[in-house]
Amino acid sequence: MLIIAEIGTSHEGSKEKAFRLIDAAAENGADAIKFQWVYADEILHPLTGFVDLPTGRIPLYERFRQLECDKAFYKELLDYTHSKGCRFCCSPFGLKSLKELLEIEPDIVKIASPELNHYKMLEALRDYRTDQKAAGKSPVPVIISSGVSKLCDIERAFELLGTEGVSFLHCVTSYPAPEADYKLGVMASLGKIFGVEYGVSDHSLDPMLVPSLSAALGGSIIEKHFTLSKKTSGLDDPVALEPEQFALMVHAVHQTQALMKRYGREHGLEEVIKQFSENFSKAQLEAMLFDCKKELAPSETSNYGRTNRSLHFMRDMKKGEKIGQGDIAILRTEKVLTPGINPMFYDMMIGAELACDAKNGEGLQFSHVIKK
């Protein structure tokens, strides 16, 4: 079992706070500690909208700018994580952050759910792993998360990355995500179909339910957001586990593993359902365990096309202009902008002539380049 404490950007750029988070995660049962390598312009358009913080309302783009740190910062976090006996895991969000992350040689590269269709980044990671293998090295392990995705998105990611050394996490991209939205039968089914290790990235508030049910179905990776306090101002702190809760989750997961080993699959699952039936209905538990149909969860349906990547204009453009490399970008849509077409069409759009005017930040549509 690999238990990942997702610190993300909860350190808020402070090395001292990051070290305290690493200490607490290691002390409370984490096997790996995960961070996010943020450059705002790899994630969002500056006009994407606003976020409400305890300190006031600011542009979401500026909030991400505040979280940017240099390569030396992450190298220190990697070294300190190793000194605590844990593996260093990190999510890049574009070609620059991926390149710099690979330069410090992480133990694991995590592809977050919204980047599952960032095909340019996946292609660069694939090429790096291919070069490693050609040089006689073991390719860096990769974990992909599948929140706010359809089956075709997951299949496309595996087509690009392959399955060797690649693991799969079932996820629901909602903060917080209702426990009932986690159909963990999908996790086990897809893990077996693709022939990869599988597990769950859990954004629900209950510290034990989803991780325990995942372990009962053979999940070997648990990822959960981690914070020193839910009351601090990290973007994900409200849905993260505090140290005592994280330790409780780790204990529950290991208990579930022992229970499954003792009773076997059929009777073990019955025992797991019995353990949680006081707080959750048997019908809900059975649906979470045995529903194997991959579809967007109710809580994340409205996020599809907005949280994951699409093509956006980076400046105002006039009819008749040709689209150049810097004129469009692969970004999350998020708050107020209109989603664009799938990033798989990026290369096709370079050099295309506009059939109408386009606004800065607008999602690129086929109608922008198809003459009527």
Side-chain angles (χ1 to χ4, degrees):
M1 178 66 69
L2 178 70
I3 297 179
I4 303 172
E6 160 70 297
I7 289 173
T9 57
S10 187
H11 53 74
E12 299 185 278
S14 164
K15 183 177 71 174
E16 290 71 24
K17 185 177 181 182
F19 282 7
R20 293 199 304 273
L21 282 158
I22 293 168
D23 287 341
E27 289 166 5
N28 286 280
D31 303 302
I33 300 173
K34 179 179 169 292
F35 297 91
Q36 298 173 9
W37 199 305
V38 169
Y39 290 119
D41 61 4
E42 290 190 326
I43 303 173
L44 301 167
H45 191 282
L47 302 178
T48 195
F50 292 81
V51 61
D52 293 313
L53 298 174
T55 53
R57 196 166 190 254
I58 67 167
L60 184 58
Y61 180 86
E62 292 304 317
R63 181 64 179 122
F64 276 93
R65 283 285 301 273
Q66 295 170 1
L67 298 170
E68 294 181 356
C69 301
D70 61 19
K71 185 168 74 172
F73 175 84
Y74 291 103
K75 180 63 167 66
E76 286 193 76
L77 299 192
L78 179 147
D79 290 339
Y80 194 73
T81 297
H82 286 173
S83 76
K84 296 298 175 177
C86 295
R87 299 168 74 182
F88 177 88
C89 179
C90 189
S91 287
F93 295 98
L95 295 177
K96 180 182 177 181
S97 54
L98 174 65
K99 178 178 180 293
E100 293 181 349
L101 171 60
L102 295 175
E103 286 172 353
I104 69 168
E105 299 184 347
D107 300 304
I108 304 167
V109 174
K110 166 72 188 300
I111 302 300
S113 295
E115 283 62 64
L116 192 66
N117 71 336
H118 193 324
Y119 300 126
K120 287 293 181 185
M121 186 173 74
L122 298 189
E123 288 166 359
L125 179 56
R126 173 201 63 197
D127 293 345
Y128 175 82
R129 298 177 82 240
T130 299
D131 290 343
Q132 282 187 302
K133 194 169 182 180
K137 300 178 181 178
S138 296
V140 59
V142 175
I143 299 174
I144 64 173
S145 233
S146 63
V148 76
S149 67
K150 298 180 180 179
L151 182 57
C152 59
D153 302 316
I154 299 169
E155 289 173 333
R156 174 68 174 156
F158 274 116
E159 285 174 7
L160 286 172
L161 290 172
T163 57
E164 181 182 356
V166 180
S167 304
F168 166 78
L169 296 187
H170 181 61
C171 181
V172 176
T173 302
S174 182
Y175 299 84
E179 285 82 7
D181 277 5
Y182 275 87
K183 306 301 184 186
L184 297 168
V186 173
M187 168 201 76
S189 177
L190 293 185
K192 290 169 183 174
I193 287 171
F194 289 112
V196 297
E197 287 192 61
Y198 57 88
V200 67
S201 177
D202 180 21
H203 298 145
S204 69
L205 295 179
D206 189 285
M208 296 187 294
L209 178 64
V210 173
S212 295
L213 297 189
S214 173
L217 289 175
S220 59
I221 307 170
I222 307 289
E223 179 186 74
K224 196 86 160 150
H225 280 282
F226 183 84
T227 184
L228 297 175
S229 170
K230 290 179 180 287
K231 296 179 181 179
T232 47
S233 57
L235 284 174
D236 298 312
D237 286 350
V239 301
L241 297 185
E242 295 172 344
E244 287 186 4
Q245 292 178 305
F246 194 86
L248 181 64
M249 177 198 75
V250 172
H251 178 70
V253 166
H254 290 321
Q255 270 196 325
T256 301
Q257 286 183 298
L259 184 151
M260 296 302 295
K261 185 176 181 180
R262 177 182 178 185
Y263 289 101
R265 178 180 169 83
E266 183 178 347
H267 294 303
L269 289 173
E270 290 175 359
E271 289 297 318
V272 170
I273 290 172
K274 191 183 301 181
Q275 283 187 357
F276 287 101
S277 59
E278 185 175 330
N279 297 314
F280 302 91
S281 73
K282 183 178 180 181
Q284 177 183 328
L285 294 169
E286 289 181 343
M288 292 176 69
L289 285 166
F290 304 124
D291 188 336
C292 297
K293 183 179 180 182
K294 172 55 184 167
E295 56 189 1
L296 293 170
S299 62
E300 66 178 359
T301 302
S302 62
N303 292 333
Y304 190 75
R306 304 195 67 84
T307 303
N308 39 11
R309 300 299 181 116
S310 64
L311 300 184
H312 286 263
F313 287 100
M314 297 306 294
R315 65 180 180 91
D316 290 336
M317 297 187 72
K318 296 292 185 182
K319 178 180 177 179
E321 285 191 78
K322 290 188 176 181
I323 298 173
Q325 291 280 352
D327 295 330
I328 59 174
I330 302 169
L331 300 172
R332 300 182 188 179
T333 300
E334 293 289 351
K335 302 292 183 181
V336 298
L337 300 178
T338 57
I341 60 175
N342 193 291
M344 71 172 63
F345 299 108
Y346 178 88
D347 289 336
M348 185 185 299
M349 292 298 109
I350 300 301
E353 183 179 314
L354 287 179
C356 60
D357 293 348
K359 293 181 180 180
N360 186 21
E362 186 178 6
L364 189 160
Q365 306 295 333
F366 288 118
S367 58
H368 282 110
V369 296
I370 296 175
K371 296 179 180 179
K372 295 180 181 179

